Amino acid sequence: MLKNTDDLRIRELKELLPPAHLIREFACSEKASDVIYAARQSMHRILHGMDDRLIVIIGPCSIHDTKAALEYAKLLKVQRERFANELEIVMRVYFEKPRTTVGWKGLINDPFMDGSFKINDGLRTARELLLNISELGVPTGTEYLDMISPQYIADLVSWGASARARRNRRCTASSHRDCRARSASRTVPTAT
């Protein structure tokens, strides 16, 4: 008798929406594409020594409250404009918790923070948030932990970090001589 040896610990399978569906639902607008393109070009020039500004990736550890994230983006936009001559400010918008072994796994994986793991809803929420932040005039940066989520959101991200590269090399303001890019530590934007 043939024994079952596959997917022994899998409770259920739920198909993910095709990326094209979410990309159509939350299509990149002209304003968002201008912001994303300009930020990518600026960071390229900074990383290659053609621009003396600093790249600052700043924001919460991970996003769990989209309303709070949009409020933060509005405050950050003011600081982005204020320091435009010295800094290329990009909002950190991380959706997953790579180093969390227990507890909440992040907005994409568990958008309702209840263990339901409605990933399609999480991907939809993440894409909509990235679009809204970009349309405010604030570029976004995120960390890619797998090869699936970038298919849904990469066109709305100005700076993408790889979890593997992040673990292998840390670049900080204190060690910028060893890095091609200079970075600055996180601070909270204020309305003043």
Side-chain angles (χ1 to χ4, degrees):
M1 172 190 260
L2 189 60
K3 305 285 190 263
N4 184 12
T5 59
D6 192 29
D7 293 337
L8 299 177
R9 293 177 179 84
I10 305 297
R11 188 176 353 159
E12 67 180 311
L13 297 175
K14 294 181 183 176
E15 288 187 21
L16 292 177
L17 293 169
H21 289 203
L22 285 185
I23 291 169
R24 270 194 308 273
E25 185 177 348
F26 299 104
C28 187
S29 66
E30 187 173 344
K31 166 123 180 156
S33 76
D34 288 345
V35 168
I36 296 160
Y37 181 82
R40 288 176 179 176
Q41 293 300 306
S42 292
M43 288 185 280
H44 177 83
R45 286 190 305 274
I46 292 166
L47 289 171
H48 288 88
M50 298 178 280
D51 185 330
D52 289 337
R53 294 180 301 155
L54 297 175
I55 296 171
V56 179
I57 313 291
I58 181 172
C61 175
S62 67
I63 300 295
H64 67 279
D65 180 340
T66 56
K67 281 178 77 174
L70 284 171
E71 288 302 314
Y72 185 89
K74 290 173 187 172
L75 293 172
L76 199 57
K77 179 178 173 47
V78 173
Q79 301 308 317
R80 183 173 159 73
E81 291 167 357
R82 178 178 173 199
F83 294 105
N85 291 330
E86 296 97 33
L87 306 173
E88 178 62 36
I89 296 176
V90 177
M91 182 172 165
R92 177 184 165 135
V93 186
Y94 284 21
F95 296 114
E96 300 171 278
K97 307 278 287 174
R99 288 157 287 286
T100 300
T101 56
V102 296
W104 187 59
K105 301 296 182 195
L107 186 121
I108 287 178
N109 292 303
D110 190 11
F112 302 108
M113 299 176 72
D114 61 0
S116 61
F117 296 98
K118 295 185 178 179
I119 296 172
N120 285 324
D121 291 332
L123 289 165
R124 179 176 278 110
T125 300
R127 184 163 178 87
E128 182 179 21
L129 180 63
L130 290 168
L131 180 59
N132 290 338
I133 292 171
S134 295
E135 287 180 340
L136 286 173
V138 178
T140 60
T142 197
E143 182 176 31
Y144 297 119
L145 302 182
D146 58 51
M147 295 180 355
I148 297 180
S149 59
Q151 298 173 65
Y152 294 86
I153 63 174
D155 63 315
L156 297 175
V157 173
S158 298
W159 175 269
S162 164
R164 177 175 296 275
R166 187 176 181 278
R167 282 192 291 268
N168 291 339
R169 181 174 180 168
R170 292 183 179 256
C171 181
T172 63
S174 62
S175 66
H176 78 283
R177 284 168 291 183
D178 299 331
C179 301
R180 297 196 69 181
R182 295 176 293 157
S183 62
S185 60
R186 285 189 292 182
T187 57
V188 178
T190 60
T192 58

